[in-house]
Amino acid sequence: DCEFVGSILDNTVGKQGIMSYVFGLHLLSCGATSQAVTADGAIGELLSLQLSDGGWAISGNISDVDVTAMTLQALAPYYNARDDVKSATDKAVALLSEKQSDDGGFKSYGTENPESAAQVIIALSSLGINAATEPRFVKSGNTVLSAMLKYLRDDGSFCHTENGEPNFAATVQALMSLVAMRRAMSGDTSLF
């Protein structure tokens, strides 16, 4: 219900940290309206929260791969329309490329995991970048896609740690990234 979504936007965006701007901007980009925040306002806040290295974090001054990727996903619809978004995005994509490990994967809070790879794949796909072939995201012959797929189990689920037990969050995020990548490669609209 649109009234409920508007109420959520009015009462949470900006009051619950950076992720409230990220999720709020997704809703606003999809046509939701708010009395308290506009897409331009949310974009401005996200850009003001960009750290000097080009990424974003929940707190502190050290960028986190997941937060950076999720922020890029929210900003992606505005990449070609706003020079400030384009500049911030280009800097963040360069940072993600720099943070990618030689095996193609990504770490969040010091631990490599499939969810971080999935969020990067979604971000790249949202920007029209093919995570399986983009030279900036191929390290020692490994891609972010191949790094994520090493967490795939025989039953089709994904685990959070290599050779671990099935993990719901890892499976959902990996599936979302595969859908995002397929949509980008097919020329469809982005996942969000």
Side-chain angles (χ1 to χ4, degrees), residues 13-168:
V13 175
K15 297 175 180 107
Q16 297 183 352
I18 186 172
M19 296 312 296
S20 68
Y21 286 112
V22 168
F23 296 126
L25 184 55
H26 279 303
L27 291 170
L28 293 163
S29 298
C30 291
T33 58
S34 168
Q35 300 296 319
V37 65
T38 64
D40 283 340
I43 291 168
E45 290 296 331
L46 287 172
L47 295 180
S48 76
L49 294 170
Q50 188 171 30
L51 300 171
S52 61
D53 67 1
W56 286 269
I58 296 287
S59 63
N61 58 3
I62 299 173
S63 294
D64 177 69
V65 167
D66 292 29
V67 177
T68 298
M70 288 186 271
T71 303
L72 288 176
Q73 294 163 26
L75 292 172
Y78 306 93
Y79 181 80
N80 291 317
R82 292 183 53 154
D83 289 341
D84 55 351
V85 171
K86 183 179 187 319
S87 175
T89 297
D90 290 346
K91 191 174 180 182
V93 169
L95 174 73
L96 289 176
S97 175
E98 186 180 301
K99 286 190 172 257
Q100 187 180 23
S101 62
D102 284 343
D103 73 352
F106 287 91
K107 294 179 180 179
S108 181
Y109 296 102
T111 303
E112 187 171 318
N113 62 82
E115 295 95 325
S116 294
Q119 292 302 325
V120 171
I121 291 170
I122 296 168
L124 295 176
S125 297
S126 297
L127 294 164
I129 300 170
N130 187 328
T133 61
E134 173 60 41
R136 292 175 292 178
F137 291 91
V138 177
K139 303 294 192 291
S140 301
N142 301 303
T143 68
V144 60
L145 178 63
S146 66
M148 185 184 75
L149 291 176
K150 74 182 179 184
Y151 295 91
L152 177 63
R153 295 172 39 89
D154 291 339
D155 65 1
S157 67
F158 282 77
C159 47
H160 177 69
T161 56
E162 204 167 349
N163 301 315
E165 293 299 313
N167 181 280
F168 180 77

